[in-house]
Coordinates of all heavy atoms in Angstrom, one line a residue:
M1 N 234.4 -45.2 79.4 CA 233.3 -44.8 78.5 C 232.1 -45.7 78.6 O 232.3 -46.9 78.6 CB 233.8 -44.7 77.1 CG 232.8 -44.2 76.1 SD 233.7 -43.6 74.6 CE 232.4 -42.7 73.9
M2 N 230.9 -45.2 78.6 CA 229.7 -46.0 78.7 C 229.3 -46.6 77.4 O 229.5 -46.1 76.3 CB 228.6 -45.1 79.2 CG 227.3 -45.8 79.5 SD 226.2 -45.0 80.5 CE 227.0 -45.2 82.1
K3 N 228.8 -47.8 77.5 CA 228.3 -48.6 76.4 C 227.1 -47.9 75.7 O 226.5 -47.0 76.3 CB 227.9 -50.0 76.8 CG 229.0 -50.8 77.4 CD 229.8 -51.5 76.4 CE 230.8 -52.4 77.0 NZ 232.1 -52.4 76.5
T4 N 226.7 -48.3 74.5 CA 225.6 -47.8 73.9 C 224.3 -48.3 74.6 O 224.2 -49.4 75.1 CB 225.5 -48.3 72.4 OG1 226.7 -48.0 71.8 CG2 224.4 -47.8 71.7
L5 N 223.4 -47.4 74.7 CA 222.1 -47.6 75.5 C 220.9 -47.4 74.6 O 221.1 -46.8 73.5 CB 222.1 -46.7 76.7 CG 223.2 -46.8 77.6 CD1 223.2 -45.6 78.5 CD2 223.2 -48.0 78.4
K6 N 219.8 -47.9 75.0 CA 218.6 -47.7 74.3 C 217.4 -47.7 75.3 O 217.5 -48.3 76.4 CB 218.3 -48.7 73.2 CG 218.1 -50.1 73.7 CD 217.9 -51.1 72.6 CE 217.6 -52.5 73.2 NZ 217.2 -53.4 72.2
A7 N 216.3 -47.0 74.9 CA 215.1 -47.0 75.7 C 214.3 -48.3 75.3 O 214.3 -48.6 74.1 CB 214.3 -45.8 75.5
P8 N 213.7 -48.9 76.3 CA 212.9 -50.1 75.9 C 211.7 -49.6 75.0 O 211.3 -48.5 75.1 CB 212.4 -50.6 77.2 CG 212.9 -49.7 78.3 CD 213.7 -48.7 77.7
H9 N 211.1 -50.5 74.3 CA 210.0 -50.1 73.4 C 208.8 -49.9 74.3 O 208.4 -50.8 75.1 CB 209.7 -51.2 72.4 CG 210.9 -51.4 71.4 ND1 211.2 -50.5 70.5 CD2 211.8 -52.4 71.3 CE1 212.2 -50.9 69.8 NE2 212.6 -52.1 70.3
T10 N 208.2 -48.7 74.1 CA 207.0 -48.4 74.9 C 205.9 -47.9 74.0 O 204.9 -47.3 74.5 CB 207.3 -47.2 75.9 OG1 207.8 -46.1 75.2 CG2 208.3 -47.7 77.0
E11 N 205.9 -48.2 72.8 CA 204.9 -47.7 71.8 C 203.5 -48.3 72.1 O 202.5 -47.7 71.8 CB 205.3 -48.0 70.4 CG 206.6 -47.3 69.9 CD 207.8 -48.2 70.1 OE1 207.7 -49.4 70.1 OE2 208.9 -47.6 70.4
H12 N 203.5 -49.6 72.5 CA 202.2 -50.2 72.6 C 201.2 -49.5 73.6 O 200.1 -49.3 73.2 CB 202.4 -51.7 73.1 CG 203.2 -52.5 72.1 ND1 203.3 -52.2 70.8 CD2 203.9 -53.6 72.3 CE1 204.0 -53.1 70.2 NE2 204.4 -54.0 71.1
N13 N 201.7 -49.2 74.8 CA 200.8 -48.5 75.7 C 201.2 -47.1 75.9 O 200.6 -46.4 76.8 CB 200.8 -49.3 77.1 CG 200.1 -50.6 76.9 OD1 199.2 -50.8 76.2 ND2 200.6 -51.6 77.7
G14 N 202.2 -46.6 75.2 CA 202.5 -45.2 75.2 C 202.8 -44.6 76.5 O 203.7 -45.0 77.2
S15 N 202.1 -43.5 76.8 CA 202.3 -42.7 78.0 C 202.2 -43.5 79.3 O 202.8 -43.2 80.3 CB 201.5 -41.5 78.0 OG 200.1 -41.8 78.1
H16 N 201.3 -44.5 79.3 CA 201.1 -45.3 80.5 C 202.4 -46.0 80.9 O 202.8 -46.0 82.0 CB 200.0 -46.3 80.3 CG 199.7 -47.2 81.5 ND1 199.2 -46.7 82.7 CD2 199.9 -48.5 81.7 CE1 199.1 -47.7 83.6 NE2 199.5 -48.8 83.0
D17 N 203.1 -46.7 79.9 CA 204.3 -47.4 80.1 C 205.4 -46.4 80.6 O 206.2 -46.6 81.5 CB 204.8 -48.1 78.9 CG 204.0 -49.4 78.6 OD1 203.3 -49.8 79.5 OD2 204.2 -49.9 77.5
K18 N 205.4 -45.2 79.9 CA 206.4 -44.2 80.3 C 206.2 -43.7 81.7 O 207.2 -43.5 82.4 CB 206.4 -43.0 79.2 CG 206.9 -43.5 77.9 CD 206.9 -42.3 76.9 CE 207.4 -42.8 75.5 NZ 207.4 -41.8 74.5
S19 N 205.0 -43.5 82.1 CA 204.6 -43.1 83.4 C 205.1 -44.1 84.4 O 205.7 -43.8 85.5 CB 203.1 -42.8 83.5 OG 202.8 -42.5 84.8
Q20 N 204.9 -45.4 84.1 CA 205.3 -46.5 85.0 C 206.9 -46.5 85.2 O 207.4 -46.7 86.3 CB 204.8 -47.8 84.6 CG 203.4 -48.0 84.8 CD 202.9 -49.4 84.3 OE1 203.5 -50.0 83.3 NE2 202.0 -50.0 85.0
L21 N 207.6 -46.3 84.0 CA 209.0 -46.3 84.1 C 209.5 -45.1 84.9 O 210.5 -45.2 85.7 CB 209.6 -46.2 82.7 CG 209.4 -47.5 81.9 CD1 209.9 -47.3 80.4 CD2 210.2 -48.6 82.5
T22 N 208.9 -43.9 84.7 CA 209.3 -42.7 85.5 C 209.0 -43.0 86.9 O 209.9 -42.6 87.8 CB 208.5 -41.5 85.0 OG1 208.7 -41.3 83.6 CG2 208.8 -40.2 85.8
D23 N 207.9 -43.6 87.3 CA 207.7 -43.9 88.7 C 208.7 -44.9 89.3 O 209.1 -44.7 90.4 CB 206.3 -44.5 88.9 CG 205.2 -43.5 88.7 OD1 205.4 -42.3 88.7 OD2 204.0 -44.0 88.5
K24 N 209.1 -45.9 88.5 CA 210.2 -46.8 88.9 C 211.5 -46.0 89.2 O 212.2 -46.3 90.1 CB 210.4 -47.9 87.9 CG 209.3 -49.0 87.9 CD 209.6 -50.0 86.8 CE 210.8 -50.9 87.2 NZ 211.0 -52.0 86.2
F25 N 211.8 -45.1 88.3 CA 213.0 -44.3 88.4 C 212.9 -43.4 89.7 O 213.9 -43.4 90.5 CB 213.2 -43.4 87.2 CG 214.4 -42.5 87.2 CD1 215.7 -43.0 87.5 CD2 214.3 -41.2 87.0 CE1 216.8 -42.2 87.5 CE2 215.4 -40.3 87.0 CZ 216.7 -40.9 87.3
R26 N 211.8 -42.8 89.9 CA 211.6 -42.0 91.1 C 211.7 -42.8 92.3 O 212.4 -42.4 93.3 CB 210.3 -41.3 91.0 CG 210.0 -40.3 92.2 CD 208.6 -39.9 92.3 NE 208.1 -39.3 91.0 CZ 207.8 -38.1 90.8 NH1 208.0 -37.2 91.8 NH2 207.3 -37.7 89.7
G27 N 211.2 -44.0 92.3 CA 211.2 -44.9 93.5 C 212.7 -45.3 93.8 O 213.0 -45.4 94.9
L28 N 213.4 -45.6 92.7 CA 214.8 -46.0 92.9 C 215.6 -44.8 93.6 O 216.4 -45.0 94.5 CB 215.5 -46.4 91.6 CG 217.0 -46.7 91.7 CD1 217.2 -48.1 92.4 CD2 217.6 -46.8 90.4
L29 N 215.4 -43.6 93.1 CA 216.0 -42.4 93.6 C 215.7 -42.3 95.1 O 216.6 -42.1 95.9 CB 215.7 -41.2 92.9 CG 216.2 -41.1 91.4 CD1 215.6 -39.9 90.7 CD2 217.7 -41.1 91.4
E30 N 214.4 -42.4 95.4 CA 214.0 -42.3 96.8 C 214.6 -43.3 97.7 O 215.1 -43.1 98.8 CB 212.5 -42.4 96.9 CG 211.8 -41.2 96.4 CD 210.2 -41.3 96.4 OE1 209.7 -42.3 96.9 OE2 209.6 -40.4 95.8
Q31 N 214.7 -44.6 97.2 CA 215.3 -45.7 97.9 C 216.8 -45.4 98.2 O 217.3 -45.8 99.3 CB 215.2 -46.9 97.1 CG 215.8 -48.2 97.7 CD 215.6 -49.4 96.7 OE1 215.2 -49.2 95.5 NE2 216.1 -50.5 97.1
K32 N 217.5 -44.7 97.3 CA 218.9 -44.4 97.5 C 219.1 -43.0 98.2 O 220.2 -42.6 98.3 CB 219.6 -44.4 96.1 CG 219.6 -45.7 95.4 CD 220.3 -45.7 94.1 CE 220.5 -47.0 93.5 NZ 221.6 -47.8 94.1
G33 N 218.0 -42.4 98.5 CA 218.1 -41.1 99.2 C 218.5 -40.0 98.3 O 219.1 -39.0 98.7
L34 N 218.2 -40.1 97.0 CA 218.5 -39.1 96.0 C 217.2 -38.3 95.6 O 216.1 -38.9 95.7 CB 219.1 -39.7 94.8 CG 220.4 -40.5 95.0 CD1 220.8 -41.3 93.8 CD2 221.5 -39.6 95.4
K35 N 217.4 -37.1 95.1 CA 216.3 -36.3 94.7 C 215.9 -36.5 93.3 O 216.8 -36.8 92.4 CB 216.6 -34.8 95.0 CG 216.7 -34.5 96.4 CD 217.0 -33.0 96.6 CE 217.2 -32.7 98.1 NZ 217.6 -31.3 98.3
F36 N 214.6 -36.4 93.0 CA 214.1 -36.4 91.6 C 214.2 -35.0 91.1 O 213.2 -34.3 91.0 CB 212.7 -37.0 91.6 CG 212.1 -37.3 90.3 CD1 212.8 -38.1 89.4 CD2 210.9 -36.7 89.9 CE1 212.2 -38.4 88.1 CE2 210.4 -37.0 88.6 CZ 211.0 -37.9 87.8
T37 N 215.4 -34.6 90.7 CA 215.6 -33.2 90.3 C 215.0 -32.9 88.9 O 214.7 -33.9 88.1 CB 217.1 -32.9 90.3 OG1 217.7 -33.7 89.3 CG2 217.7 -33.0 91.6
F38 N 214.9 -31.7 88.5 CA 214.5 -31.3 87.2 C 215.4 -32.0 86.2 O 214.9 -32.5 85.2 CB 214.5 -29.8 87.0 CG 214.4 -29.4 85.6 CD1 213.1 -29.3 85.0 CD2 215.5 -29.1 84.8 CE1 213.0 -29.0 83.6 CE2 215.4 -28.7 83.5 CZ 214.1 -28.7 82.9
E39 N 216.7 -31.9 86.4 CA 217.6 -32.5 85.4 C 217.4 -34.0 85.2 O 217.4 -34.5 84.1 CB 219.1 -32.2 85.8 CG 219.4 -30.7 85.7 CD 219.0 -29.9 87.0 OE1 218.5 -30.5 87.9 OE2 219.3 -28.7 86.9
R40 N 217.3 -34.7 86.3 CA 217.1 -36.1 86.3 C 215.8 -36.5 85.6 O 215.7 -37.4 84.8 CB 217.1 -36.8 87.7 CG 218.5 -36.8 88.2 CD 218.5 -37.4 89.6 NE 219.9 -37.5 90.1 CZ 220.2 -37.3 91.4 NH1 219.3 -37.0 92.3 NH2 221.5 -37.4 91.8
K41 N 214.7 -35.7 85.9 CA 213.4 -35.9 85.3 C 213.5 -35.7 83.8 O 213.0 -36.4 83.0 CB 212.4 -35.0 85.9 CG 211.0 -35.1 85.4 CD 210.0 -34.2 86.1 CE 208.6 -34.4 85.7 NZ 208.2 -33.7 84.5
F42 N 214.2 -34.6 83.4 CA 214.3 -34.3 82.0 C 215.1 -35.3 81.2 O 214.7 -35.7 80.2 CB 215.0 -32.9 81.8 CG 215.0 -32.4 80.4 CD1 213.9 -31.7 79.9 CD2 216.0 -32.6 79.6 CE1 213.8 -31.3 78.6 CE2 216.0 -32.2 78.3 CZ 214.9 -31.5 77.8
I43 N 216.2 -35.8 81.8 CA 217.0 -36.8 81.2 C 216.1 -38.1 81.0 O 216.1 -38.7 79.9 CB 218.3 -37.1 82.0 CG1 219.2 -35.9 81.9 CG2 219.0 -38.4 81.4 CD1 220.4 -36.0 82.9
C44 N 215.4 -38.5 82.0 CA 214.5 -39.6 82.0 C 213.5 -39.5 80.9 O 213.4 -40.4 80.0 CB 213.8 -39.8 83.3 SG 212.7 -41.2 83.4
E45 N 212.9 -38.4 80.8 CA 211.8 -38.2 79.8 C 212.4 -38.2 78.4 O 211.9 -38.7 77.4 CB 211.1 -36.8 80.0 CG 210.2 -36.9 81.2 CD 209.6 -35.6 81.6 OE1 210.1 -34.5 81.1 OE2 208.8 -35.6 82.5
E46 N 213.6 -37.6 78.2 CA 214.2 -37.5 76.9 C 214.7 -38.8 76.4 O 214.5 -39.1 75.2 CB 215.4 -36.5 76.9 CG 215.0 -35.1 77.0 CD 214.1 -34.6 75.8 OE1 214.6 -34.8 74.6 OE2 213.0 -34.2 76.0
V47 N 215.3 -39.6 77.3 CA 215.8 -41.0 76.8 C 214.6 -41.9 76.4 O 214.7 -42.7 75.5 CB 216.7 -41.7 77.8 CG1 218.0 -40.9 78.0 CG2 216.0 -42.0 79.0
M48 N 213.4 -41.7 77.0 CA 212.3 -42.5 76.7 C 211.7 -42.1 75.3 O 211.0 -42.9 74.7 CB 211.2 -42.4 77.7 CG 211.6 -43.2 79.0 SD 210.2 -43.4 80.1 CE 210.1 -41.8 80.8
K49 N 212.0 -40.9 74.8 CA 211.6 -40.4 73.5 C 212.5 -40.9 72.4 O 212.0 -40.9 71.2 CB 211.5 -38.9 73.5 CG 210.5 -38.3 74.4 CD 210.6 -36.7 74.3 CE 209.8 -36.0 75.3 NZ 210.0 -34.6 75.3
L50 N 213.7 -41.2 72.7 CA 214.7 -41.6 71.7 C 214.3 -43.0 71.1 O 214.0 -43.9 71.8 CB 216.1 -41.7 72.3 CG 216.7 -40.3 72.8 CD1 218.0 -40.6 73.4 CD2 216.8 -39.4 71.6
K51 N 214.4 -43.0 69.8 CA 214.2 -44.3 69.0 C 215.6 -44.9 68.7 O 215.6 -46.1 68.5 CB 213.5 -44.0 67.7 CG 212.1 -43.3 67.9 CD 211.1 -44.2 68.5 CE 209.8 -43.6 68.5 NZ 209.0 -43.8 69.7
E52 N 216.6 -44.1 68.6 CA 217.9 -44.7 68.3 C 218.8 -45.0 69.5 O 218.5 -44.5 70.6 CB 218.7 -43.7 67.3 CG 219.1 -42.4 68.0 CD 218.0 -41.3 68.0 OE1 216.9 -41.5 67.5 OE2 218.3 -40.2 68.5
H53 N 219.9 -45.7 69.3 CA 220.8 -46.0 70.4 C 221.6 -44.7 70.7 O 221.7 -43.8 69.8 CB 221.8 -47.1 69.9 CG 221.2 -48.4 69.7 ND1 220.6 -48.7 68.5 CD2 220.9 -49.4 70.5 CE1 220.1 -50.0 68.6 NE2 220.3 -50.4 69.8
F54 N 222.1 -44.6 71.9 CA 222.8 -43.4 72.3 C 223.8 -43.8 73.4 O 223.7 -44.9 74.0 CB 221.8 -42.4 72.9 CG 221.1 -42.8 74.1 CD1 221.6 -42.5 75.4 CD2 219.9 -43.5 74.0 CE1 220.9 -42.9 76.5 CE2 219.2 -43.9 75.2 CZ 219.8 -43.6 76.4
D55 N 224.7 -42.9 73.7 CA 225.6 -43.0 74.8 C 225.6 -41.7 75.6 O 224.9 -40.8 75.1 CB 227.0 -43.4 74.4 CG 227.7 -42.4 73.5 OD1 227.3 -41.3 73.4 OD2 228.7 -42.8 72.8
A56 N 226.3 -41.7 76.7 CA 226.3 -40.5 77.5 C 226.7 -39.2 76.8 O 226.1 -38.2 76.9 CB 227.1 -40.7 78.8
D57 N 227.8 -39.4 76.0 CA 228.3 -38.2 75.3 C 227.4 -37.7 74.2 O 227.2 -36.5 74.1 CB 229.7 -38.5 74.7 CG 230.8 -38.6 75.7 OD1 230.7 -37.9 76.7 OD2 231.7 -39.4 75.5
S58 N 226.8 -38.6 73.5 CA 225.8 -38.1 72.4 C 224.6 -37.5 73.1 O 224.0 -36.5 72.5 CB 225.4 -39.2 71.5 OG 224.7 -40.2 72.2
L59 N 224.2 -38.0 74.2 CA 223.0 -37.4 74.9 C 223.4 -36.0 75.4 O 222.6 -35.1 75.3 CB 222.6 -38.3 76.1 CG 221.3 -38.0 76.8 CD1 220.1 -38.1 75.8 CD2 221.1 -39.0 77.9
Y60 N 224.5 -35.9 76.0 CA 225.0 -34.6 76.5 C 225.1 -33.6 75.4 O 224.6 -32.4 75.5 CB 226.3 -34.7 77.2 CG 227.0 -33.4 77.5 CD1 226.5 -32.6 78.5 CD2 228.0 -32.9 76.7 CE1 227.0 -31.3 78.7 CE2 228.6 -31.7 77.0 CZ 228.1 -30.9 78.0 OH 228.6 -29.6 78.2
E61 N 225.6 -34.0 74.2 CA 225.8 -33.1 73.1 C 224.4 -32.7 72.6 O 224.2 -31.5 72.1 CB 226.6 -33.8 72.0 CG 228.1 -33.9 72.3 CD 228.7 -32.5 72.5 OE1 228.4 -31.5 71.9 OE2 229.6 -32.5 73.4
R62 N 223.5 -33.6 72.6 CA 222.1 -33.3 72.2 C 221.5 -32.2 73.1 O 220.9 -31.2 72.6 CB 221.3 -34.6 72.3 CG 219.8 -34.5 71.9 CD 219.2 -35.9 72.3 NE 217.9 -36.0 71.6 CZ 217.8 -36.6 70.4 NH1 218.8 -37.2 69.8 NH2 216.6 -36.7 69.9
F63 N 221.7 -32.3 74.4 CA 221.2 -31.2 75.3 C 221.9 -29.9 75.1 O 221.3 -28.9 75.1 CB 221.4 -31.7 76.8 CG 220.6 -32.9 77.1 CD1 221.0 -33.7 78.2 CD2 219.4 -33.2 76.5 CE1 220.3 -34.8 78.5 CE2 218.6 -34.3 76.9 CZ 219.1 -35.1 77.9
K64 N 223.2 -30.0 74.9 CA 224.0 -28.8 74.7 C 223.6 -28.0 73.4 O 223.5 -26.8 73.5 CB 225.5 -29.2 74.6 CG 226.5 -28.1 74.6 CD 227.9 -28.6 74.6 CE 228.9 -27.5 74.4 NZ 230.3 -28.0 74.3
K65 N 223.4 -28.8 72.3 CA 222.9 -28.1 71.1 C 221.6 -27.4 71.3 O 221.3 -26.4 70.6 CB 222.8 -29.2 70.0 CG 224.2 -29.6 69.4 CD 224.0 -30.6 68.3 CE 225.3 -31.1 67.9 NZ 225.2 -32.2 66.9
R66 N 220.8 -27.9 72.2 CA 219.5 -27.3 72.4 C 219.5 -26.2 73.4 O 218.5 -25.6 73.8 CB 218.5 -28.4 72.8 CG 218.1 -29.4 71.7 CD 217.4 -30.6 72.1 NE 216.1 -30.3 72.8 CZ 215.4 -31.2 73.4 NH1 215.8 -32.5 73.4 NH2 214.3 -30.9 74.0
G67 N 220.7 -25.9 73.9 CA 220.9 -24.8 74.9 C 220.5 -25.2 76.3 O 220.3 -24.3 77.1
L68 N 220.4 -26.5 76.6 CA 220.0 -26.9 77.9 C 221.2 -26.9 78.8 O 222.3 -27.3 78.4 CB 219.3 -28.3 77.9 CG 218.1 -28.3 77.0 CD1 217.7 -29.8 76.8 CD2 217.0 -27.6 77.7
R69 N 221.0 -26.5 80.1 CA 222.1 -26.4 81.0 C 222.1 -27.7 81.9 O 221.9 -27.6 83.1 CB 222.0 -25.1 81.8 CG 222.1 -23.9 80.9 CD 222.2 -22.7 81.6 NE 223.6 -22.7 82.1 CZ 224.2 -21.6 82.6 NH1 223.6 -20.5 82.6 NH2 225.4 -21.7 83.0
I70 N 222.4 -28.8 81.3 CA 222.6 -30.1 82.0 C 224.0 -30.5 81.8 O 224.5 -30.7 80.7 CB 221.6 -31.1 81.5 CG1 220.1 -30.6 81.8 CG2 221.8 -32.5 82.2 CD1 219.1 -31.6 81.2
S71 N 224.7 -30.7 82.9 CA 226.2 -31.0 82.8 C 226.4 -32.4 82.4 O 225.6 -33.3 82.5 CB 226.8 -30.7 84.2 OG 226.5 -31.8 85.1
R72 N 227.6 -32.6 81.8 CA 228.0 -33.9 81.4 C 228.0 -34.8 82.6 O 227.6 -36.0 82.5 CB 229.4 -33.8 80.7 CG 229.9 -35.1 80.1 CD 231.3 -35.0 79.5 NE 231.4 -33.9 78.6 CZ 231.3 -34.0 77.2 NH1 231.0 -35.2 76.7 NH2 231.4 -33.0 76.4
D73 N 228.5 -34.3 83.7 CA 228.6 -35.2 84.9 C 227.2 -35.6 85.3 O 227.0 -36.8 85.7 CB 229.2 -34.4 86.1 CG 230.7 -34.2 86.0 OD1 231.3 -35.0 85.2 OD2 231.3 -33.4 86.7
T74 N 226.2 -34.8 85.2 CA 224.8 -35.1 85.6 C 224.3 -36.2 84.7 O 223.7 -37.2 85.1 CB 223.9 -33.9 85.5 OG1 224.3 -33.0 86.5 CG2 222.5 -34.3 85.8
V75 N 224.6 -36.1 83.4 CA 224.2 -37.2 82.4 C 224.9 -38.5 82.8 O 224.3 -39.5 82.9 CB 224.6 -36.8 81.0 CG1 224.3 -37.9 80.0 CG2 223.8 -35.5 80.5
Y76 N 226.2 -38.5 83.0 CA 227.0 -39.7 83.4 C 226.5 -40.3 84.7 O 226.5 -41.5 84.8 CB 228.5 -39.4 83.5 CG 229.2 -39.6 82.1 CD1 229.3 -38.6 81.2 CD2 229.6 -40.9 81.8 CE1 230.0 -38.8 80.0 CE2 230.3 -41.1 80.6 CZ 230.4 -40.1 79.7 OH 231.0 -40.3 78.5
R77 N 226.1 -39.5 85.7 CA 225.6 -40.0 87.0 C 224.2 -40.5 86.9 O 223.8 -41.4 87.6 CB 225.7 -38.9 88.0 CG 227.2 -38.7 88.5 CD 227.2 -37.8 89.8 NE 226.5 -36.6 89.6 CZ 227.0 -35.4 89.3 NH1 228.3 -35.3 89.1 NH2 226.3 -34.3 89.1
T78 N 223.4 -40.0 86.0 CA 222.0 -40.3 85.9 C 221.8 -41.6 85.1 O 220.9 -42.4 85.4 CB 221.2 -39.2 85.3 OG1 221.4 -38.0 86.1 CG2 219.7 -39.5 85.2
L79 N 222.6 -41.8 84.0 CA 222.4 -43.0 83.2 C 222.4 -44.4 83.9 O 221.6 -45.2 83.7 CB 223.3 -43.0 82.0 CG 223.0 -41.9 80.9 CD1 224.0 -42.0 79.8 CD2 221.5 -42.0 80.4
P80 N 223.4 -44.6 84.8 CA 223.4 -45.8 85.6 C 222.1 -46.0 86.4 O 221.7 -47.1 86.6 CB 224.7 -45.8 86.4 CG 225.5 -44.8 85.7 CD 224.6 -43.8 85.1
L81 N 221.6 -44.9 86.9 CA 220.4 -45.0 87.7 C 219.2 -45.3 86.8 O 218.3 -46.1 87.2 CB 220.1 -43.6 88.4 CG 221.2 -43.2 89.4 CD1 221.0 -41.8 89.8 CD2 221.1 -44.2 90.7
L82 N 219.2 -44.8 85.6 CA 218.1 -45.1 84.6 C 218.2 -46.6 84.2 O 217.2 -47.3 84.1 CB 218.2 -44.2 83.4 CG 217.8 -42.8 83.6 CD1 218.2 -41.9 82.4 CD2 216.3 -42.7 83.9
L83 N 219.4 -47.1 84.1 CA 219.7 -48.5 83.7 C 219.2 -49.4 84.9 O 218.5 -50.4 84.6 CB 221.2 -48.7 83.5 CG 221.7 -50.0 82.9 CD1 221.1 -50.2 81.5 CD2 223.2 -49.9 82.8
E84 N 219.6 -49.1 86.1 CA 219.2 -49.9 87.2 C 217.7 -49.9 87.4 O 217.1 -50.9 87.8 CB 219.8 -49.3 88.5 CG 219.6 -50.2 89.7 CD 220.4 -49.7 91.0 OE1 221.3 -48.8 90.8 OE2 220.0 -50.1 92.1
S85 N 217.0 -48.8 87.1 CA 215.5 -48.8 87.3 C 214.8 -49.4 86.1 O 213.5 -49.5 86.2 CB 215.1 -47.3 87.5 OG 215.3 -46.5 86.4
G86 N 215.5 -49.7 85.0 CA 214.8 -50.3 83.9 C 214.3 -49.3 82.8 O 213.6 -49.7 81.9
V87 N 214.6 -48.1 83.0 CA 214.1 -47.1 82.0 C 214.9 -47.2 80.7 O 214.3 -47.1 79.6 CB 214.3 -45.6 82.6 CG1 214.0 -44.6 81.5 CG2 213.4 -45.4 83.8
I88 N 216.2 -47.6 80.8 CA 217.0 -47.9 79.6 C 217.6 -49.2 79.8 O 217.6 -49.8 80.9 CB 218.1 -46.8 79.4 CG1 219.0 -46.6 80.6 CG2 217.4 -45.4 79.0 CD1 220.2 -45.7 80.4
Q89 N 218.2 -49.7 78.7 CA 218.9 -51.0 78.8 C 220.1 -50.9 77.9 O 220.2 -50.1 77.0 CB 218.0 -52.2 78.3 CG 217.0 -51.8 77.2 CD 216.0 -52.9 76.9 OE1 216.0 -53.4 75.9 NE2 215.1 -53.2 77.9
K90 N 221.1 -51.7 78.3 CA 222.3 -51.8 77.4 C 222.0 -52.4 76.1 O 221.2 -53.4 76.0 CB 223.4 -52.6 78.1 CG 224.0 -51.9 79.3 CD 225.1 -52.8 79.9 CE 225.7 -52.1 81.1 NZ 226.8 -52.8 81.7
S91 N 222.6 -51.9 75.1 CA 222.4 -52.4 73.7 C 223.4 -53.5 73.5 O 224.5 -53.4 73.8 CB 222.5 -51.3 72.7 OG 222.4 -51.8 71.4
V92 N 222.9 -54.6 72.8 CA 223.9 -55.7 72.5 C 224.7 -55.5 71.3 O 225.6 -56.2 71.0 CB 223.1 -57.1 72.4 CG1 222.6 -57.5 73.7 CG2 222.0 -57.0 71.4
G93 N 224.3 -54.5 70.5 CA 225.0 -54.1 69.3 C 224.6 -52.9 68.7 O 223.5 -52.3 69.1
E94 N 225.3 -52.4 67.7 CA 224.9 -51.2 67.0 C 223.8 -51.5 66.0 O 223.7 -52.6 65.4 CB 226.1 -50.6 66.2 CG 227.2 -50.2 67.1 CD 226.9 -48.8 67.7 OE1 226.2 -48.0 67.1 OE2 227.4 -48.6 68.9
G95 N 222.9 -50.5 65.8 CA 221.9 -50.6 64.7 C 220.7 -51.1 65.1 O 219.8 -51.3 65.6

């Protein structure tokens, strides 16, 4: 089971910081020979909007409740890539 994660604070420069993080994520995917799919892009954008801590299961349930067709496997495979690219970071504790 994956640890609790959080998006880094991007409020200061807002969309500029988010755009840079998305570009870093896209670059990492290209480096690894992976595609920047709709699902990966959507997951990336959604986690950057979150203010609270989350894990893979809670993120998947959030998508499922909204009727989005993003598989649990896609969420689990995408989060380590977001972590590696710096879009999200591991949380040191709850709250």
Side-chain angles (χ1 to χ4, degrees):
M1 182 160 195
M2 185 161 280
K3 300 273 188 222
T4 304
L5 303 165
K6 65 178 181 171
H9 297 289
T10 57
E11 297 90 30
H12 298 336
N13 293 325
S15 62
H16 180 67
D17 286 346
K18 290 180 181 181
S19 176
Q20 286 181 329
L21 289 172
T22 301
D23 289 345
K24 284 178 69 175
F25 180 54
R26 184 191 308 251
L28 177 72
L29 292 174
E30 288 174 6
Q31 180 184 5
K32 293 180 173 285
L34 301 170
K35 294 180 181 175
F36 188 57
T37 62
F38 167 81
E39 293 83 2
R40 287 180 177 141
K41 180 178 187 275
F42 188 83
I43 292 168
C44 179
E45 290 171 351
E46 286 300 303
V47 299
M48 286 191 287
K49 292 178 190 174
L50 294 174
K51 302 285 188 224
E52 68 273 2
H53 295 89
F54 64 93
D55 61 18
D57 288 326
S58 66
L59 190 61
Y60 169 73
E61 289 300 322
R62 181 185 197 96
F63 295 153
K64 188 176 171 185
K65 285 180 185 173
R66 290 170 56 189
L68 299 168
R69 301 190 71 163
I70 298 175
S71 75
R72 186 183 305 268
D73 286 344
T74 299
V75 173
Y76 269 92
R77 286 191 305 265
T78 302
L79 290 179
L81 297 167
L82 290 168
L83 191 61
E84 187 175 345
S85 66
V87 173
I88 59 175
Q89 36 189 242
K90 287 184 182 179
S91 177
V92 292
E94 294 285 328

